[in-house]
Amino acid sequence: MIQSRQLLKRLFATKSYGISDFIESYPISIEEGIRKTCFELQSAEQSVFDKAILIPLRNSLANYATTNWINRRFGGSEDYLPETFMYGAQAGIKRFFKLLEDDINNNEGQQSLTDIVTMQLHDSFEYHHKSIREQGLKLKFQLHGLGGFRKGENWLTFGPEEKVKSTVLNAPIHTYIGPMVMWRFNPKRKQWLFREIAFEYYVDKNDVSITDDGEAEPPSLDLRTRLTKAGAMVGIDVICDVHATISITDESETNKWSTVIDRPMAFRFESSHFTGMFEGRWKIADVDNVFQNTGFEQ
């Protein structure tokens, strides 16, 4: 990889966008595989008992509870998860790679990457694709194989539609209560988020009770019930095995950098906001945890 970085350094002519930008923040992870989420990184600091027993047990119970919640609201059938959802997710990921290639090549068609990914994710891809093109370089993505689709964890974010815009929200920890139970607060956006395993609640600042020690008290059951009724966004992680090649060449195509991806890749599917029965649509909100990896940063 050292030689690859040296070749990339020769290819990138300006400092405004360099090799570190591409390698470290391109949504598809270039070097490290699926990135750790901020919650996984935080959990790594827990005790052996928490990591080996408590967290897996609570995650299992949360997955059971969220699966039942989703199945009651997505068609009302017991097999929406995993059967119906995974059928659609497979088609969505295949379509994603086709539209990704079109976006890289700046091809305009009847469909675009914005049809299947959130605006935040699209803007991240577009930033890299445009920056590479502006340097007279050509990025190429070749998909060789795709399979082994499996469902990951479920995530629910509750609150009113004007507040809850994603299941992937950036906010540092404000008050740590226990493993996977915490208050997060984004001071720039004045967002208060209470997370309890796979459930997260967007709480209005007027409903947050701060102790004399400066810590936030857990929201009441009544408040969480009201936020649940206000609506939700659902996030579901999907993992699949990807075999692909990513390459960058200069205009003369005499200098070429390439790397082979042959590993699992993670996708966060995210529903639109809804109340009652779901009648919206799904989009891909994250790839390889590019946003979730930095979720505790301001």
Side-chain angles (χ1 to χ4, degrees):
M1 188 57 67
I2 294 177
Q3 292 180 345
S4 295
R5 279 180 173 264
Q6 291 175 342
L7 178 54
L8 273 176
K9 189 174 182 180
R10 292 199 298 270
L11 283 168
F12 286 102
T14 70
K15 294 182 179 180
S16 59
Y17 180 88
I19 58 171
S20 60
D21 297 286
F22 175 67
I23 289 178
E24 295 173 12
S25 62
Y26 190 67
I28 295 175
S29 180
I30 301 300
E31 290 185 341
E32 58 184 292
I34 299 176
R35 304 171 181 90
K36 295 286 187 181
T37 70
C38 56
F39 298 106
E40 288 177 305
L41 294 171
Q42 192 269 341
S43 296
E45 302 174 0
Q46 304 300 316
S47 68
V48 174
F49 174 80
D50 287 342
K51 288 189 290 186
I53 299 177
L54 182 60
I55 293 177
L57 176 60
R58 299 190 74 179
N59 285 341
S60 178
L61 293 173
N63 185 65
Y64 176 80
T66 53
T67 295
N68 287 338
W69 191 95
I70 292 169
N71 280 343
R72 290 198 303 270
R73 290 162 178 81
F74 286 71
S77 63
E78 294 182 358
D79 62 353
Y80 182 83
L81 287 183
E83 283 80 3
T84 303
F85 170 79
M86 285 303 298
Y87 178 80
Q90 290 184 42
I93 292 174
K94 292 176 182 178
R95 186 179 170 206
F96 162 80
F97 282 116
K98 170 62 172 63
L99 296 177
L100 176 66
E101 291 187 53
D102 289 343
D103 195 80
I104 289 173
N105 297 323
N106 205 22
N107 293 335
E108 294 185 3
Q110 293 182 338
Q111 298 178 332
S112 69
L113 197 59
T114 55
D115 293 326
I116 197 168
V117 305
T118 61
M119 190 55 64
Q120 181 185 29
L121 183 56
H122 171 266
D123 289 348
S124 182
F125 273 118
E126 185 61 21
Y127 164 72
H128 291 280
H129 298 166
K130 183 178 180 181
S131 298
I132 290 173
R133 286 195 297 266
E134 287 177 345
Q135 297 195 49
L137 301 175
K138 183 177 181 180
L139 174 66
K140 188 174 183 179
F141 182 92
Q142 294 175 288
L143 180 65
H144 308 303
L146 186 64
F149 295 89
R150 59 264 195 200
K151 192 184 83 66
E153 303 295 329
N154 309 320
W155 307 98
L156 305 179
T157 301
F158 297 105
E161 185 174 7
E162 65 271 16
K163 300 290 187 180
V164 176
K165 303 298 182 181
S166 176
T167 64
V168 184
L169 296 170
N170 183 291
I173 296 176
H174 180 277
T175 301
Y176 178 78
I177 298 173
M180 292 295 285
V181 182
M182 67 194 74
W183 275 102
R184 297 195 294 140
F185 175 63
N186 186 321
K188 293 181 179 179
R189 299 183 179 182
K190 307 301 180 184
Q191 293 176 332
W192 283 95
L193 304 165
F194 179 75
R195 172 170 289 274
E196 189 171 25
I197 315 300
F199 301 87
E200 192 153 58
Y201 303 85
Y202 192 114
V203 183
D204 186 89
K205 63 180 181 180
N206 297 323
D207 292 322
V208 180
S209 178
I210 306 296
T211 67
D212 294 337
D213 296 330
E215 296 190 338
E217 295 183 343
S220 66
L221 177 59
D222 176 67
L223 176 58
R224 280 179 278 178
T225 300
R226 286 192 283 115
L227 290 171
T228 300
K229 292 179 179 179
M233 292 187 71
V234 176
I236 301 179
D237 295 331
V238 176
I239 300 92
C240 65
D241 300 320
V242 177
H243 182 205
T245 300
I246 297 179
S247 61
I248 297 178
T249 60
D250 57 15
E251 290 182 337
S252 65
E253 297 191 359
T254 56
N255 292 309
K256 178 179 180 179
W257 167 90
S258 67
T259 187
V260 174
I261 293 177
D262 191 9
R263 60 167 176 82
M265 188 177 293
F267 296 83
R268 165 67 64 86
F269 279 81
E270 191 172 79
S271 76
S272 52
H273 188 279
F274 68 99
T275 58
M277 295 295 291
F278 178 73
E279 296 180 351
R281 62 176 302 179
W282 290 94
K283 285 195 173 185
I284 296 172
D286 203 357
V287 174
D288 280 339
N289 296 330
V290 65
F291 299 128
Q292 296 174 84
N293 178 258
T294 56
F296 287 164
E297 298 179 7
Q298 296 186 27

